[in-house]
Amino acid sequence: MFVTLMRPWVRSARRRAFLRQPGTVPGIPPGAVATLIFAIIVAAVAIVGTAAVSPPPQCAAAASGTAAADEQAVRQVVAELYRAMTLKDVDLMLSLFVPPDPAEGGDTAAVKAQILAELGPVVAITGDFARAKLVFGDGVAVMYLPETLTVKDPRSGTQKDMRMNAELKLMLTQSGWKIASRRTVPPDSLERQGPGPEGQEPELAEPAAETGGASAKTSVTHVAIETVRDCQGAGGSGRDPARPSAGWPVDATITVEAQSPGHAVSPYIYGSAWGQWVGNLPPDDEIADLHVRLIRFGGNNISRYNWRIDTYNDWWTKKNVVQRPGLLEFVTWARRLGAEPLIQVNAFGFAPEEAASPRMSRIMDAAAAADLVRFLNVEHGLGVRFFEIDNEPFIWHETHRDYQKQAIGYDEYLERFVAFSRAMKEVDPSIVVMGPSNCNPTYYLRSAVAGDRLAKGEWIPYMLRYCAGYEARHGLRVLDAVSFHRYPIYRSFNAKEVRAKPQDILDATRGWWDASYDSRLLDPTSEPAARAILPLFRRWIDENYPGTALALTEYNLDFDSSIEYPPNVRALWLAEVLGQLARHDVQYGVYWNLQEGGHHGLVDMAGRPAAPYYAFELYSRNLTGRMLPVKGGLARVHAFAAVHEDGTVAILVNNLDLEQGFDVEVVLSGVSSSKRVRLALEPGSVTAVTVRAEETHATVEVYDP
């Protein structure tokens, strides 16, 4: 709470919190001890490099006044930090921060003795200022350390930046430390290693290569949590679990109702697209860590794809390209990663007749679509479940204008859609068919054919009613999931320069859920009649064809991957969208895309993670199970919570404010005894808290892009 770092990169083995009752040091006032230990923590953090998030004070300490509460809370953290310091490091810290004259409140020997009484031995400590290897009896902690840290005093609330100046570096060097510059590495590039042979230090995994500027600031720590039950009964304060503890002001309280699970979080919202034009599959190791559960084989090229010869006619160059890796290899690869393939079906109709011939013919019809299902699920027994009837049909006259001269309207698309779906389900009734895959809000409301909307109403409600009527007449559900795309842009259509400020772009994520927010001044693709997109689609489904799933089968920040948005904005934008997809019960989500040479990929062409990679991974690993109700937050601080099958509760907190950090309290209520965790949210960060009801510690992960 009171120590906030420019986030170090941490991969810790195991850390422990040792909770002790505060003692006293003869001759030193309690407030002075608190100040002293606070100063020692600052120095310890500078050496040890762990971003400690302090638990709230225990009830007895809180009842005895602010100074005692501060001292107790400080002690709970210093016990763990101090384990990573040798005795000579303690002497150094005391000499730097303790007044030498006892009359001024300093008594080095007494303070040292008091602290050491609470601590266990350190097995070994080696390393330098940029990479410290801390060896304990039960494992290894590896930490990357900052050159600068921001100190926040819990009493005054003031902050100041401290840099490792030459004098302090000299003292550290004389104390046995080697000073080096900080390096930036991905958070998972350092692995915990077990203890080595007797008498030898454990081996330390080497860091991965530099990321070329991609954000990779993830820290992990274990934090003691307060059990409100301890504050009840005789001698307790009986305070409201939703209210901050005395002496610990917070900017907001976030309450999670742990015993009120709602809808299940669909694993398929954690999906992405394979950029099949890149000619290779992304590296298994990096993609497996993302926990991707749905991978789409689609896009403009697949609207011109002949699956029989694994060849498409490139929509941009108009040249035939043999698809390598091919469709079967793609399906096998997706399954190897634990993901389901989503196959786009060519309903545009045109495709190459032969791989060696540039000639295009209208050969992809409903019968060909049925043969595709037969090829995958009958001949090869792959059991592919998910299919989408083509891609963005209402702009075919633009993307495929060489063969589609006129725009198509509602009924022309629906005629094809129903014919294709019916033929495919005759082969395999278990498949899930999606459509219409329209791009951006304009085409949620209308087609490009004049008069469609005036005569038949808004497009998506019309399609839902049409398919509901077909099922009523024929007993067959041809539409299982209504699909759409969303690419907000923050520039003029024909310009490359982003005109919106980064903070405005993040604020505009309200357009996914807030009907009062109008983003037309920022985003020329927005529509006043299509605000709050996710609730709007949910209402359309409930009113016109209940039971239909919702699928966002392409989305990213801008449809042009060459546009440069700040990497941290891309990461935070993705985190917020994933949280909203889970909250609004979206069943399928496909981030565009896994890998490419522009700015859209989760990994680049060399397989290196981009900034959004870490936000995606944090959500896909934590926000699973069943959604839990969340109350509280701030205008730019949004929380999402879910309970896993094993009872673990995960809370994801997005701070979309790029300049302001916040102190928040997360209260887990509705369990046998409510618990609370205090968090210091960095500006522009994503924090994950996981805790089990019966445990006394929470795991806190912070991504600060």
Side-chain angles (χ1 to χ4, degrees), residues 215-299:
S215 296
K217 306 180 184 178
T218 301
S219 62
V220 184
T221 189
H222 296 283
V223 182
I225 59 177
E226 180 183 22
T227 302
V228 175
R229 177 184 57 201
D230 295 342
C231 296
Q232 310 300 323
S237 66
R239 63 190 172 190
D240 184 342
R243 296 181 62 81
S245 303
W248 288 80
V250 295
D251 299 301
T253 298
I254 296 169
T255 302
V256 178
E257 298 292 339
Q259 292 300 316
S260 302
H263 62 265
V265 179
S266 171
Y268 300 123
I269 65 171
Y270 300 116
S272 191
W274 174 43
Q276 42 74 36
W277 65 89
V278 303
N280 63 269
L281 296 169
D284 281 18
D285 290 345
E286 294 291 353
I287 302 305
D289 289 343
L290 282 171
H291 310 285
V292 175
R293 293 296 173 256
L294 185 70
I295 304 178
R296 182 173 180 253
F297 180 84

Side-chain angles (χ1 to χ4, degrees), residues 418-448:
V418 170
F420 274 60
S421 180
R422 183 179 63 237
M424 294 163 66
K425 290 196 171 197
E426 286 176 357
V427 176
D428 186 348
S430 69
I431 64 173
V432 173
V433 176
M434 307 179 190
S437 184
N438 283 118
C439 63
N440 283 327
T442 296
Y443 298 113
Y444 311 160
L445 302 172
R446 63 174 178 82
S447 72

Side-chain angles (χ1 to χ4, degrees), residues 264-535:
V265 179
S266 171
Y268 300 123
I269 65 171
Y270 300 116
S272 191
W274 174 43
Q276 42 74 36
W277 65 89
V278 303
N280 63 269
L281 296 169
D284 281 18
D285 290 345
E286 294 291 353
I287 302 305
D289 289 343
L290 282 171
H291 310 285
V292 175
R293 293 296 173 256
L294 185 70
I295 304 178
R296 182 173 180 253
F297 180 84
N300 288 334
N301 285 336
I302 307 306
S303 293
R304 305 161 72 101
Y305 173 63
N306 183 344
W307 61 267
R308 300 181 192 276
I309 59 174
D310 247 339
T311 300
Y312 64 87
N313 183 261
D314 189 286
W315 75 283
W316 190 256
T317 67
K318 315 304 180 187
K319 296 179 180 179
N320 284 3
V321 178
V322 176
Q323 178 61 60
R324 293 291 181 267
L327 179 60
L328 291 178
E329 187 175 351
F330 162 76
V331 173
T332 302
W333 168 75
R335 290 278 172 71
R336 186 168 71 240
L337 294 174
E340 285 297 315
L342 167 57
I343 308 298
Q344 179 186 311
V345 179
N346 180 351
F348 173 61
F350 290 92
E353 293 182 358
E354 301 175 7
S357 171
R359 181 179 177 183
M360 292 266 286
S361 299
R362 193 163 192 165
I363 56 177
M364 295 289 106
D365 55 12
D371 287 344
L372 171 61
V373 176
R374 187 175 295 108
F375 171 75
L376 292 171
N377 292 356
V378 179
E379 296 178 20
H380 290 276
L382 294 174
V384 175
R385 296 178 56 201
F386 303 123
F387 295 87
E388 188 170 29
I389 306 301
D390 220 291
N391 181 72
E392 300 177 351
F394 288 171
I395 59 169
W396 281 350
H397 61 291
E398 297 175 355
T399 51
H400 307 297
R401 54 184 174 272
D402 49 341
Y403 289 93
Q404 184 71 44
K405 304 300 183 183
Q406 303 294 325
I408 72 168
Y410 292 9
D411 293 335
E412 184 177 354
Y413 175 76
L414 283 171
E415 182 180 347
R416 297 190 199 188
F417 178 88
V418 170
F420 274 60
S421 180
R422 183 179 63 237
M424 294 163 66
K425 290 196 171 197
E426 286 176 357
V427 176
D428 186 348
S430 69
I431 64 173
V432 173
V433 176
M434 307 179 190
S437 184
N438 283 118
C439 63
N440 283 327
T442 296
Y443 298 113
Y444 311 160
L445 302 172
R446 63 174 178 82
S447 72
V449 173
D452 256 358
R453 183 178 182 181
L454 182 62
K456 300 164 186 172
E458 294 172 337
W459 161 236
I460 294 297
Y462 179 83
M463 180 178 182
L464 289 165
R465 290 193 299 272
Y466 186 100
C467 293
Y470 185 90
E471 181 179 9
R473 295 190 302 273
H474 301 281
L476 177 66
R477 177 181 269 274
V478 290
L479 175 66
D480 298 293
V482 60
S483 62
F484 68 103
H485 298 171
R486 183 70 180 109
Y487 292 96
I489 69 173
Y490 299 97
R491 58 185 175 85
S492 298
F493 272 110
N494 297 320
K496 292 290 187 179
E497 182 180 358
V498 177
R499 62 185 181 181
K501 296 178 181 178
Q503 186 63 70
D504 292 336
I505 294 172
L506 293 177
D507 289 345
T509 56
R510 290 169 54 191
W512 291 92
W513 55 271
D514 185 355
S516 69
Y517 183 77
D518 187 350
S519 64
R520 283 177 292 172
L521 293 178
L522 295 173
D523 175 15
T525 69
S526 61
E527 284 276 352
R531 297 180 189 176
I533 289 171
L534 298 179

Side-chain angles (χ1 to χ4, degrees), residues 456-675:
K456 300 164 186 172
E458 294 172 337
W459 161 236
I460 294 297
Y462 179 83
M463 180 178 182
L464 289 165
R465 290 193 299 272
Y466 186 100
C467 293
Y470 185 90
E471 181 179 9
R473 295 190 302 273
H474 301 281
L476 177 66
R477 177 181 269 274
V478 290
L479 175 66
D480 298 293
V482 60
S483 62
F484 68 103
H485 298 171
R486 183 70 180 109
Y487 292 96
I489 69 173
Y490 299 97
R491 58 185 175 85
S492 298
F493 272 110
N494 297 320
K496 292 290 187 179
E497 182 180 358
V498 177
R499 62 185 181 181
K501 296 178 181 178
Q503 186 63 70
D504 292 336
I505 294 172
L506 293 177
D507 289 345
T509 56
R510 290 169 54 191
W512 291 92
W513 55 271
D514 185 355
S516 69
Y517 183 77
D518 187 350
S519 64
R520 283 177 292 172
L521 293 178
L522 295 173
D523 175 15
T525 69
S526 61
E527 284 276 352
R531 297 180 189 176
I533 289 171
L534 298 179
L536 177 64
F537 268 89
R538 183 59 57 200
R539 177 169 60 81
W540 281 341
I541 289 171
D542 292 344
E543 292 177 354
N544 296 284
Y545 198 8
T548 305
L550 185 55
L552 177 61
T553 53
E554 282 187 28
Y555 70 99
N556 207 312
L557 188 55
D558 211 302
F559 56 79
D560 186 342
S561 68
S562 71
I563 305 300
E564 294 190 26
Y565 291 86
N568 65 324
V569 171
R570 285 189 179 275
L572 294 166
W573 185 89
L574 175 57
E576 183 67 13
V577 173
L578 287 172
Q580 296 297 343
L581 294 184
R583 173 167 291 165
H584 290 91
D585 197 17
V586 176
Q587 281 73 45
Y588 308 94
V590 178
Y591 182 77
W592 185 272
N593 53 27
L594 279 174
Q595 182 182 40
E596 67 163 65
H599 299 290
H600 276 169
L602 291 170
V603 300
D604 65 15
M605 291 304 295
R608 295 172 301 196
Y613 176 100
Y614 302 102
F616 190 103
E617 190 272 342
L618 201 61
Y619 265 80
S620 65
R621 181 162 44 83
N622 288 291
L623 198 63
T624 63
R626 303 193 73 85
M627 289 296 287
L628 295 174
V630 175
K631 298 177 182 179
L634 296 166
R636 290 173 175 162
V637 175
H638 304 151
F640 309 90
V643 57
H644 301 174
E645 289 185 1
D646 66 358
T648 299
V649 174
I651 306 102
L652 279 294
V653 185
N654 299 337
N655 180 12
L656 301 183
D657 196 310
L658 295 175
E659 297 183 355
Q660 179 65 47
F662 300 99
D663 294 339
V664 301
E665 180 177 61
V666 176
V667 177
L668 186 66
S669 68
V671 293
S672 57
S673 56
S674 296
K675 301 168 186 280

